[in-house]
Amino acid sequence: APEDGTAAGYRLYRAAADFIDPAAAQQIGGSPIAATVFTDLPPVEGTYFYRAATVDAAGNVSELSEPAVGVSDATAPRATSIACTPRGPFDPSSGTFGPGTVDVVLTVTEPLQTAPFMSITPEGGTPINVDLTAQSDTVFTGFFVIADTAPSGTAWAIFSARDRAGNRGTDDATILIDTAGPAVARLIVLPAAPLQTRDPDTLDDLA
């Protein structure tokens, strides 16, 4: 600080790498900054180093302070992969899931504040929440159960999360669900009536 200990303001410097010479950094916020709190919005995302110098009323400038480090992040997290592995019936040719438990592996683009929210919502049905557990900073696992009563058709997987900077991101994907068993649509008896019988309990030609 200046020798008399009275600060008239501050000079604040920013750089993408640590520095000890003000000429190696960019002075920001005007000169001097009167307040002791300053909000900075760097032009691009990244890690930045800050140092400050005190200025007295006569314009004398102190040595630079110790560095402070900040990270600028304006990008929301995204789901790069939502992998579903069935334990129950599954048709690989169409990717259709039958009733039963389905394991989920969710991979995201960056570390999050907490485990993300995820739900599976069948068309016309009730959302199914997926409880996810962190396996790493960017990988989460969980499962959900498709009930026998769940509507068949398209189901939407909804993802929502906040990264450590507070940016909120959402994503969605779809899966196909089939909980309806096959049904007889038409039954034809050939030849047509009348039918010849050789045994009272047996029809001669029945197809």
Side-chain angles (χ1 to χ4, degrees):
E3 292 183 1
D4 64 2
T6 302
Y10 305 89
R11 291 182 182 178
L12 183 61
Y13 300 90
R14 178 188 69 209
D18 196 9
F19 58 94
I20 57 174
D21 183 353
Q26 178 185 2
Q27 184 176 343
I28 58 176
S31 179
I33 299 172
T36 56
V37 176
F38 181 80
T39 301
D40 181 36
L41 182 61
V44 296
E45 297 182 8
T47 299
Y48 292 91
F49 294 80
Y50 296 85
R51 290 180 185 260
T54 306
V55 182
D56 65 12
N60 298 306
V61 182
S62 72
E63 298 293 326
L64 291 178
S65 68
E66 290 298 311
V69 181
V71 177
S72 176
D73 179 5
T75 301
R78 301 294 302 271
T80 58
S81 172
I82 302 176
C84 296
T85 303
R87 300 187 204 172
F90 179 69
D91 178 10
S93 63
S94 63
T96 302
F97 295 80
T101 300
V102 180
D103 293 316
V104 176
V105 178
L106 170 69
T107 305
V108 297
T109 53
E110 59 181 310
L112 306 176
Q113 289 182 355
T114 60
F117 166 82
M118 185 175 176
S119 68
I120 308 295
T121 305
E123 186 172 9
T126 303
I128 307 167
N129 288 333
V130 183
D131 291 327
L132 295 170
T133 301
Q135 303 302 318
S136 70
D137 283 344
T138 57
V139 177
F140 298 83
T141 59
F143 68 90
F144 64 95
V145 178
I146 301 173
D148 294 338
T149 56
S152 297
T154 301
W156 282 264
I158 304 298
F159 154 84
S160 177
R162 289 188 183 275
D163 64 17
R164 292 177 179 175
N167 301 305
R168 180 175 179 268
T170 60
D171 260 318
D172 60 74
T174 59
I175 63 172
L176 293 176
I177 291 176
D178 184 1
T179 57
V184 176
R186 188 179 183 189
L187 180 63
I188 300 175
V189 177
L190 295 174
L195 302 177
Q196 179 184 12
T197 60
R198 297 175 181 173
D199 185 292
D201 299 322
T202 304
L203 293 178
D204 182 46
D205 294 304
L206 179 60

PDB file of all heavy atoms in Angstrom, residues 12 14 32 45 52 55 57 79 103 129 138 149 160 182 204:
ATOM      1  N   LEU A  12      -6.545  -2.821 -11.077  1.00  0.00           N
ATOM      2  CA  LEU A  12      -6.766  -4.259 -11.163  1.00  0.00           C
ATOM      3  C   LEU A  12      -6.268  -4.757 -12.509  1.00  0.00           C
ATOM      4  O   LEU A  12      -6.569  -4.163 -13.547  1.00  0.00           O
ATOM      5  CB  LEU A  12      -8.255  -4.580 -10.997  1.00  0.00           C
ATOM      6  CG  LEU A  12      -8.648  -6.058 -10.998  1.00  0.00           C
ATOM      7  CD1 LEU A  12      -7.988  -6.799  -9.844  1.00  0.00           C
ATOM      8  CD2 LEU A  12     -10.171  -6.196 -10.928  1.00  0.00           C
ATOM      9  N   ARG A  14      -5.534  -8.226 -15.141  1.00  0.00           N
ATOM     10  CA  ARG A  14      -5.985  -9.579 -15.490  1.00  0.00           C
ATOM     11  C   ARG A  14      -5.123 -10.129 -16.605  1.00  0.00           C
ATOM     12  O   ARG A  14      -4.772  -9.417 -17.550  1.00  0.00           O
ATOM     13  CB  ARG A  14      -7.443  -9.553 -15.936  1.00  0.00           C
ATOM     14  CG  ARG A  14      -7.996 -10.919 -16.375  1.00  0.00           C
ATOM     15  CD  ARG A  14      -9.381 -10.778 -16.998  1.00  0.00           C
ATOM     16  NE  ARG A  14      -9.321 -10.092 -18.282  1.00  0.00           N
ATOM     17  CZ  ARG A  14     -10.314  -9.362 -18.763  1.00  0.00           C
ATOM     18  NH1 ARG A  14     -11.422  -9.189 -18.085  1.00  0.00           N
ATOM     19  NH2 ARG A  14     -10.171  -8.782 -19.957  1.00  0.00           N
ATOM     20  N   PRO A  32      -8.370   5.024 -10.960  1.00  0.00           N
ATOM     21  CA  PRO A  32      -8.416   3.804 -10.141  1.00  0.00           C
ATOM     22  C   PRO A  32      -9.849   3.317  -9.939  1.00  0.00           C
ATOM     23  O   PRO A  32     -10.799   4.034 -10.226  1.00  0.00           O
ATOM     24  CB  PRO A  32      -7.817   4.265  -8.828  1.00  0.00           C
ATOM     25  CG  PRO A  32      -8.272   5.695  -8.711  1.00  0.00           C
ATOM     26  CD  PRO A  32      -8.287   6.239 -10.131  1.00  0.00           C
ATOM     27  N   GLU A  45     -14.173 -17.627 -22.377  1.00  0.00           N
ATOM     28  CA  GLU A  45     -14.074 -18.528 -21.231  1.00  0.00           C
ATOM     29  C   GLU A  45     -12.628 -18.956 -21.002  1.00  0.00           C
ATOM     30  O   GLU A  45     -11.820 -18.996 -21.935  1.00  0.00           O
ATOM     31  CB  GLU A  45     -14.947 -19.757 -21.453  1.00  0.00           C
ATOM     32  CG  GLU A  45     -16.424 -19.453 -21.558  1.00  0.00           C
ATOM     33  CD  GLU A  45     -17.256 -20.703 -21.721  1.00  0.00           C
ATOM     34  OE1 GLU A  45     -16.708 -21.816 -21.605  1.00  0.00           O
ATOM     35  OE2 GLU A  45     -18.466 -20.574 -21.964  1.00  0.00           O
ATOM     36  N   ALA A  52      -3.824  -6.920  -7.881  1.00  0.00           N
ATOM     37  CA  ALA A  52      -4.260  -5.540  -7.658  1.00  0.00           C
ATOM     38  C   ALA A  52      -3.111  -4.716  -7.081  1.00  0.00           C
ATOM     39  O   ALA A  52      -2.197  -5.243  -6.435  1.00  0.00           O
ATOM     40  CB  ALA A  52      -5.444  -5.507  -6.705  1.00  0.00           C
ATOM     41  N   VAL A  55      -3.562   2.595  -4.981  1.00  0.00           N
ATOM     42  CA  VAL A  55      -3.181   3.933  -5.428  1.00  0.00           C
ATOM     43  C   VAL A  55      -3.602   4.943  -4.351  1.00  0.00           C
ATOM     44  O   VAL A  55      -4.749   4.911  -3.884  1.00  0.00           O
ATOM     45  CB  VAL A  55      -3.860   4.294  -6.760  1.00  0.00           C
ATOM     46  CG1 VAL A  55      -3.402   5.677  -7.238  1.00  0.00           C
ATOM     47  CG2 VAL A  55      -3.559   3.236  -7.818  1.00  0.00           C
ATOM     48  N   ALA A  57      -3.824   9.146  -2.864  1.00  0.00           N
ATOM     49  CA  ALA A  57      -4.353  10.387  -3.432  1.00  0.00           C
ATOM     50  C   ALA A  57      -3.329  11.120  -4.285  1.00  0.00           C
ATOM     51  O   ALA A  57      -3.689  11.892  -5.186  1.00  0.00           O
ATOM     52  CB  ALA A  57      -4.840  11.295  -2.295  1.00  0.00           C
ATOM     53  N   ALA A  79     -25.599 -33.517 -22.010  1.00  0.00           N
ATOM     54  CA  ALA A  79     -25.464 -34.971 -21.945  1.00  0.00           C
ATOM     55  C   ALA A  79     -24.872 -35.445 -23.269  1.00  0.00           C
ATOM     56  O   ALA A  79     -25.475 -35.278 -24.324  1.00  0.00           O
ATOM     57  CB  ALA A  79     -26.811 -35.619 -21.692  1.00  0.00           C
ATOM     58  N   ASP A 103     -31.032 -50.397 -16.974  1.00  0.00           N
ATOM     59  CA  ASP A 103     -29.879 -49.701 -16.393  1.00  0.00           C
ATOM     60  C   ASP A 103     -29.494 -48.509 -17.273  1.00  0.00           C
ATOM     61  O   ASP A 103     -29.563 -48.596 -18.503  1.00  0.00           O
ATOM     62  CB  ASP A 103     -28.689 -50.653 -16.255  1.00  0.00           C
ATOM     63  CG  ASP A 103     -28.949 -51.747 -15.234  1.00  0.00           C
ATOM     64  OD1 ASP A 103     -29.471 -51.430 -14.162  1.00  0.00           O
ATOM     65  OD2 ASP A 103     -28.627 -52.911 -15.529  1.00  0.00           O
ATOM     66  N   ASN A 129     -38.906 -41.277 -12.398  1.00  0.00           N
ATOM     67  CA  ASN A 129     -37.652 -40.653 -11.994  1.00  0.00           C
ATOM     68  C   ASN A 129     -36.515 -41.673 -11.994  1.00  0.00           C
ATOM     69  O   ASN A 129     -36.704 -42.836 -11.625  1.00  0.00           O
ATOM     70  CB  ASN A 129     -37.780 -40.031 -10.606  1.00  0.00           C
ATOM     71  CG  ASN A 129     -38.634 -38.783 -10.611  1.00  0.00           C
ATOM     72  OD1 ASN A 129     -38.734 -38.094 -11.622  1.00  0.00           O
ATOM     73  ND2 ASN A 129     -39.256 -38.476  -9.495  1.00  0.00           N
ATOM     74  N   THR A 138     -18.001 -36.904 -14.424  1.00  0.00           N
ATOM     75  CA  THR A 138     -18.842 -36.751 -15.611  1.00  0.00           C
ATOM     76  C   THR A 138     -19.663 -37.989 -15.967  1.00  0.00           C
ATOM     77  O   THR A 138     -20.362 -37.976 -16.978  1.00  0.00           O
ATOM     78  CB  THR A 138     -17.976 -36.376 -16.834  1.00  0.00           C
ATOM     79  OG1 THR A 138     -16.968 -37.385 -17.019  1.00  0.00           O
ATOM     80  CG2 THR A 138     -17.300 -35.023 -16.633  1.00  0.00           C
ATOM     81  N   THR A 149     -47.969 -51.881 -16.815  1.00  0.00           N
ATOM     82  CA  THR A 149     -49.090 -50.993 -17.141  1.00  0.00           C
ATOM     83  C   THR A 149     -48.656 -49.717 -17.857  1.00  0.00           C
ATOM     84  O   THR A 149     -49.502 -48.879 -18.175  1.00  0.00           O
ATOM     85  CB  THR A 149     -49.829 -50.606 -15.850  1.00  0.00           C
ATOM     86  OG1 THR A 149     -48.886 -50.017 -14.919  1.00  0.00           O
ATOM     87  CG2 THR A 149     -50.453 -51.837 -15.196  1.00  0.00           C
ATOM     88  N   SER A 160     -31.469 -32.721 -16.825  1.00  0.00           N
ATOM     89  CA  SER A 160     -31.263 -31.335 -16.410  1.00  0.00           C
ATOM     90  C   SER A 160     -30.197 -31.306 -15.319  1.00  0.00           C
ATOM     91  O   SER A 160     -30.195 -32.153 -14.418  1.00  0.00           O
ATOM     92  CB  SER A 160     -32.565 -30.722 -15.884  1.00  0.00           C
ATOM     93  OG  SER A 160     -32.352 -29.402 -15.419  1.00  0.00           O
ATOM     94  N   PRO A 182     -48.897 -59.780 -27.757  1.00  0.00           N
ATOM     95  CA  PRO A 182     -49.590 -60.004 -29.038  1.00  0.00           C
ATOM     96  C   PRO A 182     -51.029 -60.457 -28.801  1.00  0.00           C
ATOM     97  O   PRO A 182     -51.343 -61.098 -27.797  1.00  0.00           O
ATOM     98  CB  PRO A 182     -48.754 -61.104 -29.697  1.00  0.00           C
ATOM     99  CG  PRO A 182     -48.094 -61.812 -28.550  1.00  0.00           C
ATOM    100  CD  PRO A 182     -47.839 -60.764 -27.504  1.00  0.00           C
ATOM    101  N   ASP A 204     -62.436 -82.943 -39.185  1.00  0.00           N
ATOM    102  CA  ASP A 204     -61.539 -83.527 -40.165  1.00  0.00           C
ATOM    103  C   ASP A 204     -60.517 -82.517 -40.680  1.00  0.00           C
ATOM    104  O   ASP A 204     -59.334 -82.789 -40.731  1.00  0.00           O
ATOM    105  CB  ASP A 204     -62.364 -84.081 -41.345  1.00  0.00           C
ATOM    106  CG  ASP A 204     -61.484 -84.752 -42.378  1.00  0.00           C
ATOM    107  OD1 ASP A 204     -60.601 -85.552 -41.983  1.00  0.00           O
ATOM    108  OD2 ASP A 204     -61.667 -84.446 -43.549  1.00  0.00           O
TER     109      ASP A 204
END
